[in-house]
Amino acid sequence: MPAPPTPTPAATHSKVDLLIIGAGPAGLMAANWAVSLGCRSVRVVDKRNTKIFTGQADGLQCRTLEVLHSFGMAQDIVRQSNHMLEVCFWNPVDGTLRRTGRIPDTIPGISRWQQVVLHQGRIERAFLDRIHAQSHGEVQVERAKLPERLDVDTDLVESTHPDVYPVRVQVRQLSEDEATPSQMGKSTPNGLFRSALAPDDTPELLSSSSSSVSGTKAGAVGSRQVIHAKYVIGCDGAHSWTRKQMGIDMAGEQTDYIWGVLDAVPVTDFPDIRMRCAIHSANDGSVMIIPREDGLVRFYIQISSTSDGAADAATKVDRHNITWQRILKAAQTIIKPYRLEISERDLHWWTAYQIGQRVASGFSLHDRVFIAGDACHTHSPKAGQGMNVSMMDTYNLVWKVAKVLQRQSPRSILPTYQAERRRVAQELIAFDHRFSRLFSGKPQAAEDAAREAGVDLAEFRNVFAKGNRFASGTAVEYGPSLLVGRGGDATELGDGTDVVGPGALSRPELSAEGCGESRIVVGQRLNTAQVVCVADARPWQLVDWLPSDGRWRLLLFCGNLVDAAQRPRIEAFARYLETQLLPRYTPARHDVDSVIDCLTISSTPRTACELSDYPAILHPLTTKWHRPGSASAAAGDVGEARAKSQDYWKIFCDDESYHAGHGRAYEKYGIDAQRGAVVVARPDGYVSLLVALDDVDRIDAFFDKCMLPAEMHLPFASRDKPSGAVDGAETKGVPPVPSKEAGEVAQAL
Amino acid sequence: MPAPPTPTPAATHSKVDLLIIGAGPAGLMAANWAVSLGCRSVRVVDKRNTKIFTGQADGLQCRTLEVLHSFGMAQDIVRQSNHMLEVCFWNPVDGTLRRTGRIPDTIPGISRWQQVVLHQGRIERAFLDRIHAQSHGEVQVERAKLPERLDVDTDLVESTHPDVYPVRVQVRQLSEDEATPSQMGKSTPNGLFRSALAPDDTPELLSSSSSSVSGTKAGAVGSRQVIHAKYVIGCDGAHSWTRKQMGIDMAGEQTDYIWGVLDAVPVTDFPDIRMRCAIHSANDGSVMIIPREDGLVRFYIQISSTSDGAADAATKVDRHNITWQRILKAAQTIIKPYRLEISERDLHWWTAYQIGQRVASGFSLHDRVFIAGDACHTHSPKAGQGMNVSMMDTYNLVWKVAKVLQRQSPRSILPTYQAERRRVAQELIAFDHRFSRLFSGKPQAAEDAAREAGVDLAEFRNVFAKGNRFASGTAVEYGPSLLVGRGGDATELGDGTDVVGPGALSRPELSAEGCGESRIVVGQRLNTAQVVCVADARPWQLVDWLPSDGRWRLLLFCGNLVDAAQRPRIEAFARYLETQLLPRYTPARHDVDSVIDCLTISSTPRTACELSDYPAILHPLTTKWHRPGSASAAAGDVGEARAKSQDYWKIFCDDESYHAGHGRAYEKYGIDAQRGAVVVARPDGYVSLLVALDDVDRIDAFFDKCMLPAEMHLPFASRDKPSGAVDGAETKGVPPVPSKEAGEVAQAL
């Protein structure tokens, strides 16, 4: 119900460290990561008034589950999910459809997790619940808020003064109607309104801005807020408004393949309906089957291709001509001679899309405004990459922003976001290009062997198997930079951004080549191995002790403590930690493990020595479990008035356990069991350094570039209460918003 | 603020299928089980106004975790818990304290779970959350409600007419003061108010009944309700009011050992503070260490014994003389030369108790009123049995009550509760008798070897190791009865109660002797083994498919489907299921697996045949995932208007998995891989029958005794809305409560 036009009222103003635009998986990961790091001055705005409950993305890859686990979220999600174990290939053989092969869906050993599927709504729900719990309800998604103006004060972008907020974003409160996606009222939810086949409604909403002001109170429909932010992340999807304000283009192409998607509980006699299947028919296209939770199955169904002339590559198909019945009919034809029936009642969601493969030309503006997720890359959904890569984008970014906000690190670490993630996006598009063309093509076996467009089914299967490693997310390898002390050319191994760091500090030979899927590769994430806690004999996956809490991790594979030659090396390293490295970066009166957390993995059998035989700094006294005293203390400052006891969960051994076998961690990591090695892992679990125990100069050289000394560190800002007055009376001290039109902002920056 | 005395107002009346008195672990397990079975007409009353947040019981044994897992609760609880892996023995050697041995805390292979510790409050919280979720908020604990009168109409106890409520319980709403345990206001919570050293306050509360009426509204302080129940379970603790109304005694004895308990975060250099430890000092008594969650440690500390003359076995110690400082001092002396310090701030809870070992003379009155948990058995807490055995009591009972309420089973199954659980209680007391005397005694090594009271430390360790099997709860073995088709004398192998059933129907030799910890023993719970789902290649623990949902399970170890001799046997068994067993007990229009759920475990490799090669009844068509039509249907009646599809999660094979190895289930269960076997498991997971595929007459004979045909089954009653009027105006049809005094009821019954 738009009210009659009135003059735009003055906006309220407020300050925030981090503003996130868009509450999809990328945005929620960003918010979750920020609150996990202790940042409370964070806001999330979304133009929609509702979250997605069915359909959308659904695959969770190994690396995503590893990251979710680092937030304590994976077990619940995996429990609700459907697990995908095997891929079956079905092809035309002797005039009928036959299973021509099987491969494991996840390469064994690649991760402790295997690929699962669960609908996006439940994953978003898990994030919302955790953000609420972690922030004690302080951080919530603010819905029906449309950003309409973005402004960066370029003079201030390099300042790390805690009172400097160089980015301004004006948002407007939408009405219920404006914030409701148009499909929501229909009986079977479908995703056409978000598909590439549907137009973006943001320009329409923006143009209605002057006519929809219906109140003057803060939060009332049409009311405006100006958010003064230190950093902004646009997670606002393929049509990203943020990206447009930044003046960034998408480069790539649109394919001519159109696919339909059905989420339903089918009635069928197809034998592999609970397997992931790639089905190529002789002449009628392809189906991919993704079995899901609660008896559901997702079908990706090819409904047109160049060869049948139904669609023109350059034109968008009229979405009103696509119905779920038409998609189902295509599937029924492809899957013959098997029966496939779906009643409307058991159809949970459907959509159709045309594959576009594009990457944004940049991911950042002055390293103050970033884009992530679908705003940076679009591609086909069938390999289950979109939601995963999107979440991994903000997982890569937010800790870096937090370290800069806390002045633990210089701003020079921020360009690594684009270097690392745009490179991944480029690789993803290359993968998807190959994968989706193969999948959409016709099987060669059924066609003239000479035909150029034909797909060799052996090649398809081969690409599929290789693709599984890429698709798992575990193969991601970041190039050299301030945050990755490895060899190689930083621009060549990234996206071209200059992120040159301290050079080839690592010694890759310390993790033996050929040791297997858990080899430690600098620039890759650390795979896990089972170790046994010395103090309580409990077996653990090592990565259980690398939660996403913002700390750097120093993994001391100390070798054999009871070896006479090794013991002095261990003691020397412990002295270095205690007297040099840790004091340099740990503020006074904070627990010694609060910035860099050192975990020891010993090759000495558990009962061959006592915990007290290990240097004290390796199982330090901390206040972790002790109740605070009455002395007031700043954030992170543990004060004096609290007892301290040993941290019993820092020393592990590579030994037999009572109930879970032997982890053989040294063997899996390819580390020498006598002499050991030191691994430095970033707060996001990627390996920065692999050096010997004597290489303390290399460790110094690494941290010297990417960290600032303890004296400079700052606590996070507390949450700002937005000024309540609409008339601007309470906004003194906050500069007024320039009166440029939203459309002009990008040019002006 | 008690109001001036007024005449007792008339009580409100309401009906309920199951009334549970007491909301501790036994009561909450009962309520949880009832709602899981679909029973909504269930109420839980508790005289306290608060739940326990610290202290109390904390150990969760293997079998308890198995049961919690069958409700989907174990993973969250285990994740929060401290895991106990090893027991260390410390003894005086050469004038100092030394570690003299280590054993695994849980015998490897005995269960998929190992013993963990977590405080009772969190476990109760998990139950409360699940009860709320399962019952959609309909079932909640009604606090500050004191039962004051119990009455059984003996003429009606054998009637299974759905409108017959033979038990009446009158409850009174307590004031805030009355319902608050007296210790709650103190700075460090302690458990003396619940300890055997403290008097019971129930008589005091009962005597105040006439003076505390302060309102006339239902729910107002002092108001009374009469609850007309079909069944009542008293889970009201060691001082059980219910037990007293039933006229049941506790038989057993009080020991002269007094123990203190501290829950604290200690500062110590004792090496094994994160292990479970049994520490015997030379002359100063014993300490048991139980490491807990959140850095906490529980200390059980001997503070007196006969030999030091501090306490007289016949007299209760004055609890005002026991302080936490005195307990700590005793611990510090025992643990010398190690340092042990606890600041008051880090002391979370403490108590003291005197060991009493008693079992109730009966567990039931007319099989209408039952007692469970501490109301039936009291003993020392150090073996971590109390909470576990208590929960297992109601886990044994409630499904039987539910089956009778639904008229799926005759009332003759109910006496098995006392036969099975009183027997366990007797065994528990015998175990505890031996265990606690050994633990409290002085170590022989440090004493005159001839001294009779001395403890042989080798014997102690031996008893401890053997005790671990008992204490795990996995060794519980129920005698022959209507519910356990095994050999032996029903009264000898139970507690003496007559529960004679159909006799020795099982063939124990079908599970080979010596096959290991997973051998199938009729009367014991089924251990788990990994199997692989044929339809989706996912590895599962078999017991994951035996959730606590009230269904009987028929496990068809079908042997080798592709063996020419075996296939006809499998087909014959499938025909028997489809045409005889399942129709006999499954109401028309209910899913075929709704009463008896048949799971197939095949020794045929997964890819050696298709799912469709198995007889259709083994992967039946069900409505499980399909949305209901518009046709109205009674509870459980799936109606006609819903699609059906195959249940893909009923056929498993004993084969290699991609990521979790080979389960070797046939080997673990000792079942012949060609010819197989059939296992019938009760709704609580205990094995009722082990027979061959041809033994359908034995299966018939078993179910014939303990089940009623489908035509007699009833849906559960819906929840009764208690009549709102206090003056009795709306209670017509409900008989008035006799005006006997509460104390006289037991005699009158």
Side-chain angles (χ1 to χ4, degrees):
Chain A
M1 301 295 110
T6 58
T8 304
T12 55
H13 289 257
S14 61
K15 294 173 184 175
V16 73
D17 279 2
L18 177 62
L19 173 66
I20 297 160
I21 300 173
L28 291 175
M29 170 62 89
N32 171 60
W33 203 181
V35 298
S36 301
L37 293 161
C39 180
R40 289 291 172 276
S41 180
V42 48
R43 290 177 66 180
V44 190
V45 297
D46 195 284
K47 67 176 178 174
R48 298 290 179 211
N49 61 357
T50 184
K51 70 180 206 68
I52 301 306
F53 284 103
T54 52
Q56 307 290 346
D58 56 3
L60 288 168
Q61 306 293 354
C62 302
R63 178 58 189 156
T64 309
L65 289 168
E66 291 175 358
V67 170
L68 290 173
H69 182 66
S70 76
F71 292 110
M73 298 168 68
Q75 282 177 303
D76 286 342
I77 284 175
V78 166
R79 192 158 41 174
Q80 297 175 60
S81 300
N82 187 61
H83 296 211
M84 294 207 297
L85 277 303
E86 191 171 88
V87 186
C88 293
F89 299 92
W90 286 77
N91 287 295
V93 177
D94 301 334
T96 188
L97 203 58
R98 287 199 200 283
R99 187 196 296 115
T100 57
R102 309 174 188 259
I103 59 168
D105 191 68
T106 300
I107 298 165
I110 207 172
S111 171
R112 73 191 291 194
W113 305 100
Q114 289 91 48
Q115 185 178 206
V116 301
V117 280
L118 185 69
H119 77 61
Q120 184 173 334
R122 289 211 213 172
I123 295 156
E124 293 182 2
R125 179 79 268 156
F127 273 123
L128 292 167
D129 289 348
R130 189 168 188 280
I131 291 164
H132 185 86
Q134 288 282 312
S135 72
H136 304 288
E138 281 187 41
V139 178
Q140 303 195 11
V141 175
E142 303 168 39
R143 299 199 183 271
K145 280 206 166 66
L146 181 77
E148 30 176 42
R149 185 176 295 181
L150 185 150
D151 214 357
V152 180
D153 186 336
T154 50
D155 292 343
L156 296 176
V157 291
E158 290 308 325
S159 167
T160 59
H161 188 283
D163 292 334
V164 166
Y165 296 80
V167 193
R168 276 168 297 192
V169 176
Q170 180 173 301
V171 299
R172 177 167 58 88
Q173 190 70 40
L174 297 180
S175 70
E176 187 77 8
D177 274 3
E178 289 171 313
T180 304
S182 56
Q183 64 94 16
M184 288 295 177
K186 306 223 176 115
S187 61
T188 298
N190 73 65
L192 288 180
F193 77 99
R194 289 184 58 134
S195 146
L197 301 176
D200 178 24
D201 64 352
T202 307
E204 196 184 328
L205 291 170
L206 282 170
S207 72
S208 77
S209 62
S210 60
S211 67
S212 64
V213 177
S214 67
T216 53
K217 281 197 315 188
V221 169
S223 68
R224 290 185 162 84
Q225 284 185 41
V226 176
I227 301 169
H228 299 253
K230 290 182 185 160
Y231 293 91
V232 172
I233 310 178
C235 307
D236 44 355
H239 296 303
S240 176
W241 172 88
T242 312
R243 186 183 69 223
K244 286 169 197 149
Q245 310 318 301
M246 295 161 78
I248 288 173
D249 298 324
M250 294 296 275
E253 56 188 74
Q254 183 87 344
T255 69
D256 49 357
Y257 302 110
I258 295 178
W259 288 78
V261 186
L262 302 178
D263 274 357
V265 181
V267 175
T268 182
D269 56 359
F270 181 71
D272 288 344
I273 195 71
R274 298 305 310 174
M275 301 290 191
R276 186 169 166 208
C277 290
I279 305 171
H280 281 87
S281 70
N283 292 299
D284 301 301
S286 307
V287 165
M288 177 172 278
I289 291 177
I290 309 279
R292 295 185 46 181
E293 72 280 6
D294 297 346
L296 280 169
V297 177
R298 167 164 292 190
F299 297 88
Y300 287 105
I301 302 145
Q302 192 176 355
I303 48 176
S304 79
S305 71
T306 331
S307 52
D308 70 7
D312 174 8
T315 339
K316 291 198 174 178
V317 169
D318 179 355
R319 61 180 168 141
H320 299 293
N321 285 342
I322 301 176
T323 62
W324 74 268
Q325 289 90 345
R326 180 176 161 192
I327 300 171
L328 174 60
K329 196 151 177 261
Q332 286 167 329
T333 307
I334 296 165
I335 210 169
K336 270 180 194 162
Y338 297 102
R339 192 170 71 99
L340 173 66
E341 273 155 40
I342 292 169
S343 73
E344 182 155 16
R345 196 188 295 140
D346 288 322
L347 175 68
H348 289 226
W349 187 76
W350 68 276
T351 192
Y353 63 90
Q354 195 165 6
I355 302 172
Q357 290 152 330
R358 299 190 181 89
V359 181
S361 54
F363 282 18
S364 144
L365 183 68
H366 305 304
D367 289 318
R368 285 286 179 176
V369 183
F370 302 90
I371 47 172
D374 289 353
C376 307
H377 37 72
T378 64
H379 48 86
S380 103
K382 280 191 304 298
Q385 290 297 298
M387 179 170 65
N388 293 274
V389 175
S390 294
M391 290 193 282
M392 293 306 96
D393 284 346
T394 49
Y395 185 63
N396 179 287
L397 172 59
V398 170
W399 71 270
K400 297 172 183 172
V401 171
K403 290 289 175 194
V404 174
L405 284 170
Q406 292 175 289
R407 287 220 303 234
Q408 288 187 15
S409 291
R411 272 181 48 82
S412 53
I413 68 169
L414 295 177
T416 63
Y417 168 63
Q418 175 172 321
E420 292 176 345
R421 296 309 298 178
R422 190 157 165 266
R423 169 66 176 226
V424 168
Q426 288 163 339
E427 286 169 359
L428 169 60
I429 266 53
F431 162 75
D432 190 61
H433 189 84
R434 192 167 167 78
F435 182 80
S436 62
R437 270 165 184 70
L438 276 172
F439 200 80
S440 298
K442 290 188 180 189
Q444 201 163 37
E447 295 283 306
D448 175 1
R451 188 168 165 183
E452 210 181 317
V455 174
D456 181 87
L457 289 172
E459 187 203 352
F460 174 72
R461 202 171 137 182
N462 191 25
V463 170
F464 203 103
K466 279 192 193 154
N468 272 3
R469 179 179 298 270
F470 177 82
S472 74
T474 61
V476 165
E477 185 174 329
Y478 297 143
S481 73
L482 274 77
L483 297 174
V484 179
R486 55 168 277 183
D489 182 286
T491 50
E492 268 177 35
L493 294 170
D495 83 319
T497 306
D498 177 14
V499 289
V500 177
L505 295 173
S506 291
R507 301 187 188 275
E509 70 279 7
L510 291 175
S511 176
E513 240 177 292
C515 67
E517 296 289 354
S518 299
R519 188 184 178 209
I520 297 172
V521 178
V522 180
Q524 290 193 359
R525 69 74 164 102
L526 187 79
N527 201 350
T528 194
Q530 181 182 291
V531 293
V532 175
C533 179
V534 168
D536 66 9
R538 179 172 171 186
W540 285 98
Q541 291 295 324
L542 179 57
V543 297
D544 288 343
W545 290 98
L546 282 79
S548 286
D549 58 9
R551 290 186 290 175
W552 288 84
R553 293 265 159 31
L554 198 153
L555 304 177
L556 173 59
F557 289 87
C558 71
N560 188 358
L561 182 73
V562 300
D563 177 274
Q566 183 69 0
R567 198 180 169 96
R569 297 180 75 219
I570 298 172
E571 284 168 354
F573 189 82
R575 271 194 305 279
Y576 160 71
L577 281 182
E578 189 160 16
T579 62
Q580 296 186 53
L581 184 69
L582 299 181
R584 195 177 303 149
Y585 298 115
T586 314
R589 302 214 308 174
H590 286 224
D591 272 339
V592 68
D593 61 353
S594 59
V595 176
I596 301 173
D597 180 26
C598 178
L599 303 174
T600 299
I601 303 96
S602 171
S603 66
T604 311
R606 181 172 62 86
T607 59
C609 63
E610 298 289 340
L611 190 68
S612 56
D613 293 333
Y614 290 88
I617 189 68
L618 303 182
H619 47 116
L621 295 172
T622 72
T623 60
K624 187 172 176 188
W625 302 118
H626 293 276
R627 290 178 170 170
S630 53
S632 68
D637 180 345
V638 299
E640 301 292 352
R642 193 188 285 203
K644 288 186 178 188
S645 56
Q646 289 179 68
D647 190 324
Y648 295 97
W649 299 274
K650 293 220 191 279
I651 301 191
F652 303 88
C653 60
D654 184 18
D655 198 357
E656 192 77 27
S657 67
Y658 282 118
H659 307 281
H662 195 306
R664 309 222 171 276
Y666 273 75
E667 199 180 308
K668 283 188 180 158
Y669 289 129
I671 293 176
D672 184 279
Q674 287 301 311
R675 295 183 54 84
V678 178
V679 173
V680 174
R682 315 193 315 191
D684 59 358
Y686 285 79
V687 177
S688 289
L689 271 190
L690 171 62
V691 295
L693 271 68
D694 320 296
D695 289 331
V696 297
D697 53 334
R698 291 174 182 240
I699 298 173
D700 281 345
F702 173 76
F703 280 115
D704 189 51
K705 280 270 192 187
C706 70
M707 286 199 75
L708 299 172
E711 310 83 74
M712 297 188 64
H713 297 190
L714 288 174
F716 277 118
S718 59
R719 194 170 169 77
D720 185 44
K721 301 281 172 282
S723 60
V726 177
D727 60 6
E730 288 180 35
T731 60
K732 54 178 182 272
V734 178
V737 188
S739 60
K740 294 169 198 149
E741 286 308 304
E744 294 171 16
V745 174
Q747 279 71 26
L749 292 172
Chain B
M1 304 294 111
T6 59
T8 305
T12 55
H13 290 258
S14 62
K15 295 173 183 172
V16 74
D17 279 1
L18 177 62
L19 172 67
I20 298 160
I21 300 173
L28 291 175
M29 171 62 90
N32 171 59
W33 204 180
V35 299
S36 302
L37 293 161
C39 182
R40 290 290 172 277
S41 180
V42 48
R43 291 177 65 181
V44 191
V45 296
D46 195 283
K47 67 176 178 174
R48 298 290 180 211
N49 61 358
T50 184
K51 70 181 206 68
I52 301 304
F53 283 103
T54 52
Q56 306 292 347
D58 56 4
L60 288 169
Q61 305 293 354
C62 302
R63 177 58 188 155
T64 309
L65 290 169
E66 290 175 358
V67 170
L68 291 173
H69 181 67
S70 76
F71 292 110
M73 298 168 68
Q75 281 176 302
D76 285 342
I77 284 175
V78 166
R79 191 158 43 174
Q80 297 175 60
S81 300
N82 188 60
H83 295 212
M84 295 207 297
L85 277 303
E86 190 172 87
V87 186
C88 294
F89 299 92
W90 286 77
N91 288 295
V93 177
D94 301 334
T96 188
L97 203 57
R98 288 201 198 281
R99 187 195 296 117
T100 57
R102 309 175 188 258
I103 59 168
D105 192 67
T106 300
I107 298 165
I110 207 171
S111 172
R112 72 192 290 193
W113 305 99
Q114 288 91 49
Q115 186 178 203
V116 301
V117 280
L118 185 68
H119 76 60
Q120 185 172 334
R122 289 212 213 171
I123 296 156
E124 294 182 1
R125 178 80 268 158
F127 273 122
L128 293 168
D129 289 348
R130 188 168 190 280
I131 292 164
H132 186 85
Q134 288 282 311
S135 72
H136 303 288
E138 281 188 41
V139 178
Q140 305 197 8
V141 176
E142 303 167 40
R143 300 200 183 270
K145 279 206 168 66
L146 182 76
E148 31 175 42
R149 186 174 294 179
L150 184 149
D151 214 359
V152 180
D153 186 337
T154 50
D155 292 342
L156 296 176
V157 291
E158 291 307 324
S159 168
T160 60
H161 187 284
D163 291 335
V164 166
Y165 296 80
V167 193
R168 276 167 298 191
V169 175
Q170 180 173 302
V171 299
R172 177 167 59 88
Q173 191 69 41
L174 296 180
S175 69
E176 187 78 7
D177 274 3
E178 289 171 313
T180 305
S182 56
Q183 65 93 16
M184 288 296 178
K186 307 226 175 110
S187 62
T188 298
N190 72 65
L192 286 179
F193 77 100
R194 290 184 57 134
S195 146
L197 300 176
D200 179 26
D201 64 353
T202 307
E204 196 183 326
L205 292 170
L206 283 170
S207 71
S208 76
S209 62
S210 61
S211 67
S212 65
V213 177
S214 67
T216 54
K217 280 197 317 190
V221 170
S223 67
R224 290 183 162 84
Q225 284 186 40
V226 177
I227 301 169
H228 299 254
K230 290 181 185 161
Y231 293 90
V232 172
I233 310 178
C235 307
D236 44 355
H239 296 303
S240 174
W241 172 88
T242 313
R243 186 183 69 224
K244 285 169 197 149
Q245 309 319 301
M246 295 161 80
I248 288 172
D249 298 324
M250 294 295 276
E253 58 188 72
Q254 183 87 342
T255 69
D256 49 357
Y257 303 110
I258 295 179
W259 288 77
V261 186
L262 303 178
D263 275 357
V265 181
V267 176
T268 182
D269 56 0
F270 180 71
D272 288 345
I273 195 71
R274 299 305 309 174
M275 300 290 191
R276 187 169 165 206
C277 290
I279 304 171
H280 282 87
S281 71
N283 292 298
D284 301 302
S286 306
V287 165
M288 178 172 276
I289 290 177
I290 309 278
R292 295 184 45 181
E293 71 281 5
D294 297 344
L296 280 168
V297 178
R298 167 163 293 190
F299 297 88
Y300 287 105
I301 301 146
Q302 192 176 356
I303 49 177
S304 79
S305 71
T306 331
S307 53
D308 70 7
D312 174 7
T315 339
K316 290 199 172 174
V317 169
D318 180 355
R319 62 178 167 142
H320 299 293
N321 285 343
I322 301 175
T323 62
W324 74 270
Q325 291 89 346
R326 182 176 159 190
I327 300 171
L328 175 60
K329 196 150 176 263
Q332 286 167 329
T333 307
I334 295 165
I335 211 168
K336 269 181 195 161
Y338 297 101
R339 191 170 72 100
L340 173 66
E341 272 156 42
I342 292 170
S343 73
E344 183 155 14
R345 197 189 294 142
D346 289 321
L347 175 68
H348 289 227
W349 186 77
W350 68 275
T351 191
Y353 64 89
Q354 197 165 5
I355 302 172
Q357 290 153 329
R358 298 189 182 90
V359 180
S361 55
F363 282 18
S364 144
L365 184 68
H366 305 304
D367 290 317
R368 285 286 180 176
V369 183
F370 303 90
I371 47 173
D374 289 353
C376 307
H377 36 73
T378 64
H379 49 85
S380 101
K382 280 191 303 300
Q385 290 297 296
M387 178 169 67
N388 293 275
V389 176
S390 295
M391 290 194 282
M392 293 306 98
D393 284 346
T394 49
Y395 185 64
N396 180 287
L397 172 59
V398 171
W399 71 270
K400 298 171 183 173
V401 171
K403 291 288 175 193
V404 173
L405 285 170
Q406 294 175 287
R407 287 218 305 234
Q408 287 188 12
S409 291
R411 272 182 48 83
S412 53
I413 68 168
L414 294 176
T416 62
Y417 168 62
Q418 176 171 320
E420 291 175 347
R421 297 308 299 178
R422 190 157 166 268
R423 169 65 177 228
V424 169
Q426 288 163 339
E427 287 169 359
L428 168 61
I429 265 56
F431 161 76
D432 190 59
H433 189 84
R434 191 167 166 78
F435 182 79
S436 62
R437 269 164 186 70
L438 276 171
F439 200 80
S440 298
K442 291 186 180 189
Q444 202 162 35
E447 294 285 306
D448 176 3
R451 188 168 163 186
E452 211 180 315
V455 174
D456 181 88
L457 289 173
E459 187 200 352
F460 174 73
R461 201 170 138 183
N462 192 24
V463 169
F464 204 103
K466 279 191 192 154
N468 272 5
R469 180 178 297 271
F470 177 83
S472 74
T474 61
V476 164
E477 185 174 329
Y478 297 142
S481 73
L482 276 76
L483 297 175
V484 180
R486 55 169 276 183
D489 183 287
T491 51
E492 269 177 35
L493 293 171
D495 85 319
T497 305
D498 177 14
V499 289
V500 178
L505 297 173
S506 292
R507 302 186 188 273
E509 71 279 9
L510 291 176
S511 176
E513 239 177 293
C515 66
E517 295 289 355
S518 299
R519 190 185 176 207
I520 297 171
V521 179
V522 181
Q524 289 194 0
R525 69 69 163 108
L526 186 81
N527 201 351
T528 195
Q530 181 183 291
V531 292
V532 175
C533 179
V534 168
D536 65 10
R538 179 171 170 187
W540 286 95
Q541 290 296 324
L542 179 56
V543 297
D544 288 343
W545 289 98
L546 282 78
S548 287
D549 59 9
R551 291 186 288 175
W552 288 84
R553 293 265 160 31
L554 199 151
L555 305 178
L556 171 59
F557 288 87
C558 71
N560 188 358
L561 182 73
V562 300
D563 177 272
Q566 184 68 0
R567 197 178 169 98
R569 297 180 76 219
I570 298 171
E571 285 169 352
F573 189 82
R575 272 194 304 278
Y576 160 72
L577 281 182
E578 188 159 16
T579 61
Q580 297 186 54
L581 184 69
L582 299 180
R584 196 178 302 149
Y585 297 115
T586 313
R589 303 215 306 174
H590 285 224
D591 271 338
V592 69
D593 61 353
S594 60
V595 176
I596 301 173
D597 180 27
C598 177
L599 303 175
T600 300
I601 303 95
S602 171
S603 65
T604 311
R606 181 172 64 86
T607 59
C609 62
E610 299 288 339
L611 190 69
S612 56
D613 292 333
Y614 290 88
I617 189 69
L618 303 182
H619 48 116
L621 294 171
T622 72
T623 62
K624 187 173 176 186
W625 302 118
H626 295 275
R627 291 179 170 168
S630 52
S632 67
D637 179 345
V638 298
E640 301 293 353
R642 192 187 286 201
K644 287 187 178 188
S645 57
Q646 289 179 68
D647 190 323
Y648 295 97
W649 300 273
K650 292 218 192 281
I651 300 190
F652 302 88
C653 60
D654 185 17
D655 198 357
E656 192 78 27
S657 67
Y658 282 117
H659 307 280
H662 195 306
R664 309 225 170 275
Y666 273 76
E667 198 180 310
K668 282 188 180 157
Y669 289 129
I671 293 177
D672 184 278
Q674 288 300 310
R675 295 183 54 85
V678 177
V679 173
V680 174
R682 314 192 319 187
D684 59 359
Y686 286 79
V687 177
S688 289
L689 272 189
L690 171 62
V691 294
L693 270 68
D694 322 295
D695 290 331
V696 296
D697 52 334
R698 292 174 181 240
I699 297 172
D700 282 345
F702 173 76
F703 281 116
D704 189 51
K705 280 271 193 186
C706 70
M707 285 199 74
L708 299 172
E711 311 83 73
M712 297 188 65
H713 297 190
L714 288 173
F716 277 118
S718 58
R719 194 170 169 76
D720 186 42
K721 301 278 171 283
S723 61
V726 178
D727 60 6
E730 287 181 35
T731 61
K732 54 179 182 274
V734 178
V737 189
S739 60
K740 292 170 201 149
E741 287 307 305
E744 295 172 13
V745 173
Q747 279 70 28
L749 293 171

